[in-house]
Amino acid sequence: MEIRSDTSPNLDGSMYRSTRAAAREIMIPLILYGIDRYTVRQLKRKLIRALNPLNGHCVLKIQESSLPPRYLTCWYKGGLEGNESEDNAGFRWIRYGVQLTAMDPWYYGDDLHVAEWQFGKGSSFLRPTASLFPLSISQGLVSRKDFPVTNPGDVDAWPVWEIAGPVRRFQFTCGDRSFGIDGKAQDAVPGGTTLKIDTRPGHKTLLDDTGKNYWPLLTNAPSLWPLPSGRSEIGIELVPGSTSATLRMTIAPRYETY
């Protein structure tokens, strides 16, 4: 973890500012054995080729007993330089201390957690009769601030939203952060189209299945918020169009350890 603080020339100690999770550094002790010298050299070549960061990242899988596996996406950093001293290598074996860096420091599992809602079509605010009363509020309009959702991970997770139109407008809220699209004269998500909102860092995209970019259509000062760990309540305001609409939220829980 990285701790940020400020110091004062007139006061003892420092003032805490913030904390962030830094990249995770990992060292794995590894011994290669072979039936002869040729086998050891072949194993060594395969290992170096597999870990070479020029060929991309590698995935570290950790599993104990009957517990579910956890995964880290890592990049090779060092440890295969070739120290073959008497204590580190023999004719049919060699010892390494493989050093890896996980740019994303959190562990992931196999399971994705999905919450899905389906909403009916909207209707006129007033009944189509000569009388003003009684009023009839459209059941297609969804506006709640207390939809219960659960993130089983240890830290917050970034949702991937999928909205199947037609949807006239929508807004999603968590705490004091929100984002949405006000369709105004036309549907925010046209019928027969699915809008995918990926809030994950390094992605941050709003694209439908035709490749159209919806980012410029977001309301002012949008915040693509993460879902806190544990149980929480989120706000969903969604107005379906002429037919029913579907909303799906998918998260990949993140864990502090395996």
Side-chain angles (χ1 to χ4, degrees):
M1 307 297 288
E2 291 183 358
I3 309 297
R4 297 190 179 96
S5 61
D6 294 335
T7 58
S8 173
N10 299 320
L11 298 175
D12 297 334
S14 301
M15 296 181 61
Y16 170 81
R17 290 301 182 190
S18 62
T19 300
R20 65 178 293 272
R24 187 186 294 264
E25 302 294 335
I26 303 166
M27 196 284 287
I28 302 178
L30 180 66
I31 298 180
L32 300 184
Y33 285 98
I35 59 175
D36 53 27
R37 181 65 177 174
Y38 175 79
T39 305
V40 174
R41 292 185 61 184
Q42 289 299 103
L43 288 174
K44 177 180 177 181
R45 287 181 177 178
K46 290 182 179 179
L47 178 63
I48 292 175
R49 186 180 303 115
L51 294 181
N52 188 344
L54 296 178
N55 297 328
H57 64 268
C58 57
V59 178
L60 177 63
K61 177 181 178 180
I62 303 177
Q63 186 172 16
E64 288 190 5
S65 185
S66 60
L67 298 176
R70 295 283 185 262
Y71 304 91
L72 276 176
T73 299
C74 303
W75 298 83
Y76 169 76
K77 186 176 181 179
L80 299 176
E81 284 75 16
N83 181 3
E84 297 193 13
S85 62
E86 183 176 351
D87 294 334
N88 291 285
F91 187 73
R92 295 185 301 175
W93 65 277
I94 187 169
R95 178 188 292 118
Y96 292 116
V98 179
Q99 302 171 31
L100 304 173
T101 299
M103 304 302 178
D104 183 347
W106 308 115
Y107 289 86
Y108 291 81
D110 284 321
D111 297 331
L112 299 176
H113 289 255
V114 180
E116 185 171 313
W117 300 270
Q118 189 167 11
F119 310 107
K121 66 180 180 178
S123 60
S124 301
F125 178 73
L126 300 178
R127 290 181 182 272
T129 62
S131 175
L132 178 62
F133 297 101
L135 295 177
S136 176
I137 299 179
S138 169
Q139 296 181 355
L141 173 63
V142 178
S143 182
R144 285 181 53 183
K145 298 181 179 180
D146 57 351
F147 277 98
V149 290
T150 300
N151 173 9
D154 298 325
V155 295
D156 54 14
W158 297 88
V160 176
W161 301 88
E162 293 178 82
I163 307 172
V167 171
R168 296 176 183 174
R169 67 175 184 272
F170 66 87
Q171 185 170 8
F172 304 141
T173 305
C174 182
D176 58 353
R177 293 179 288 184
S178 66
F179 67 92
I181 295 178
D182 187 352
K184 297 181 180 179
Q186 58 185 2
D187 288 343
V189 183
T193 302
T194 299
L195 172 62
K196 184 176 181 181
I197 305 174
D198 195 337
T199 67
R200 295 174 298 170
H203 296 79
K204 301 292 185 186
T205 57
L206 289 87
L207 299 173
D208 65 12
D209 42 16
T210 66
K212 178 182 176 180
N213 181 19
Y214 284 67
W215 191 275
L217 303 179
L218 286 173
T219 52
N220 293 333
S223 176
L224 304 185
W225 42 265
L227 186 66
S229 174
R231 188 183 185 278
S232 57
E233 294 180 345
I234 63 175
I236 298 177
E237 181 180 346
L238 187 145
V239 181
S242 57
T243 59
S244 61
T246 302
L247 171 65
R248 173 180 294 183
M249 181 188 69
T250 304
I251 62 170
R254 307 192 295 177
Y255 303 91
E256 295 175 329
T257 183
Y258 56 89

